[in-house]
């Protein structure tokens, strides 16, 4: 079955066409600057030259049409006709409390995605535009919504309730939801398979460390806690996000700097994290590491704080589960940065974690990086959200 996987942003659309039989990527690409001057589609198919189309994309419907044209193009395409696409899987940010699993889109599902615009103001409207564009371009082809919040829905109340007046939960559904759920579900499942763990009871901690970063704890593949909250701002220090913070900091800076709460939230989302801590060097961990090597103190503090926060969460989640069988590292930093993995694990000697330096000297490959005597299996497991979305889609439409 050929599945088109779509990840829509407000002005971008990423796609992959995946053959679910052998899970190979037939083609992938990106539409940029949708609705803005200078729109561009970049399309890459296995064994073919890159194809770039610079043409106006006033909306997501036009973008989807251009993706279809690229997929069936005589030179750069990979299918003869769009009828070869059996289903479309969409990454959708927020499913509120309604969806704890992926679902085939119908009018009710679209209504819930719309009701969650408040909770995911940047992503949900774009995700819905992507779905409606596919409905228009491929009538009759099922669309599946794969929610980033679904994995977190199995958290118990003690993990997801904030200690604020209960009326805010009742009125506005204010609670912890968690994000990166597709990645956490995929990697925790891979950890169980790859590590030969008990599928029903394995206690797994996944560290998704990229530009956005989060940690999850799961038992038998079911999430029991995760570090992001009502929004992706909570939890770890990230590329540009602050993560956990005393809320009084918001009031204090707003008063001193004459900022609105919205402006302050923009600072916490876009100007904080290692970018802010390093005095504005970069949000890219490679640049921060380079600056640290060159002797920059703020860069060194930013990195140390990042590693320390991850280790604290691992400690907390080990307590939450009363043990841990495996810790998996994934995403940009988790997959590529052996120093990050080693430093984080250096806090975990009390758990009997021992890293094998030779095994840890690896990038982007599935591998156990702990020594045989380690009491906890530590693994590098590349995430693959597109493949996860493809699998969820196939499971629902088959
Ligand atoms: P992601 O959000 O998962 O795509 O991760 C992107 C981030 O991974 C980048 O911002 C980099 O900071 C980080 N990254 C990628 N490669 C490396 C590397 N070799 N060492 C350290 N960080 C890396």
């Amino acid at each position: 079955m050929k599945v088109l996987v779509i990840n829509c942003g407000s002005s971008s659309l990423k796609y992959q066409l995946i053959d679910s039989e052998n899970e190979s990527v037939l083609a992938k690409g990106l539409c940029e600057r949708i609705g803005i001057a200078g729109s561009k589609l970049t399309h890459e198919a296995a064994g073919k030259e890159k194809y770039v189309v610079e043409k106006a994309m006033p909306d997501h419907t036009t973008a989807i049409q251009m993706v279809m044209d690229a997929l069936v193009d005589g030179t750069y395409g990979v299918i003869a006709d769009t009828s070869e696409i059996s289903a479309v899987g969409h990454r959708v940010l927020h499913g509120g409390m309604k969806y704890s699993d992926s679902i085939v889109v119908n009018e009710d599902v679209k209504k819930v995605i719309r009701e969650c615009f408040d909770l995911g103001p940047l992503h949900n409207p774009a995700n819905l535009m992507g779905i409606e564009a596919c409905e228009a371009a491929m009538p009759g082809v099922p669309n599946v919504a794969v929610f980033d919040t679904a994995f977190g829905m199995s958290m118990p109340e003690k993990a997801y309730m904030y200690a604020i007046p209960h009326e805010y939960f009742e009125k506005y559904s204010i609670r912890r939801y968690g994000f990166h759920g597709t990645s956490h579900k995929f990697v925790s499942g891979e950890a169980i398979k790859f590590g030969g763990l008990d599928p029903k009871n394995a206690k797994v901690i996944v560290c998704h460390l990229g530009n956005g970063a989060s940690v999850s704890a799961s038992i038998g593949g079911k999430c029991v806690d995760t570090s992001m909250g009502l929004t992706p701002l909570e939890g770890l220090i990230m590329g540009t996000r602050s993560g956990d913070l005393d809320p009084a900091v918001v009031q204090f800076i707003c008063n001193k700097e004459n900022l609105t709460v919205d402006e302050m939230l923009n600072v916490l989302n876009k100007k904080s994290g290692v970018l802010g801590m390093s005095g504005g060097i970069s949000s890219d961990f490679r640049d921060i590491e380079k600056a640290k090597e060159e002797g920059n103190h703020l860069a060194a503090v930013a990195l140390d704080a990042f590693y320390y926060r991850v280790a604290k969460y691992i400690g907390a989640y080990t307590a939450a589960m009363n043990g841990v069988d495996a810790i998996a590292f994934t995403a940009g930093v988790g997959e590529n940065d052996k120093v990050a993995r080693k430093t984080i694990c250096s806090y975990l000697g009390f758990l009997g974690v021992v890293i094998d330096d030779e095994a840890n000297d690896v990038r982007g490959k599935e591998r156990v990086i702990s020594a045989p005597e380690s009491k906890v299996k530590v693994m590098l497991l590349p995430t693959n959200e597109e493949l996860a979305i493809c699998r969820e889609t196939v499971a629902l439409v088959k």
Side-chain angles (χ1 to χ4, degrees), residues 210-211 283-286 289 331-333 336-337 363:
N211 191 33
S283 61
D284 191 305
F285 284 81
R286 288 163 289 198
E289 277 167 25
V333 178
N336 292 301
D337 191 342
R363 291 175 63 170

Side-chain angles (χ1 to χ4, degrees), residues 20-75:
S20 69
E21 305 307 321
N22 55 15
E23 300 194 328
S24 63
V25 178
L26 302 171
K28 62 180 178 180
L30 169 68
C31 299
E32 295 167 272
R33 301 182 65 87
I34 301 170
I36 317 172
S39 331
K40 178 166 100 173
L41 173 138
T42 311
H43 172 89
E44 285 174 82
K48 300 192 178 183
E49 262 179 55
K50 196 184 263 188
Y51 178 44
V52 178
V53 187
E54 292 186 20
K55 202 173 118 186
M57 284 183 226
D59 50 36
H60 288 72
T61 310
T62 318
I64 283 287
Q65 203 48 60
M66 283 173 65
V67 171
M68 300 286 126
D69 292 345
L71 290 171
V72 300
D73 185 85
T75 310

Side-chain angles (χ1 to χ4, degrees), residues 35 47 49 60 65 101 105 109 113 123 140 187 190 213 215 256 290 349 351 377 396:
E49 262 179 55
H60 288 72
Q65 203 48 60
D101 261 313
V105 174
V109 176
I113 296 173
H123 294 83
V187 176
E190 293 295 298
V215 188
K256 291 280 182 198
K290 191 161 163 279
L351 290 176
K377 244 183 202 157
L396 282 169

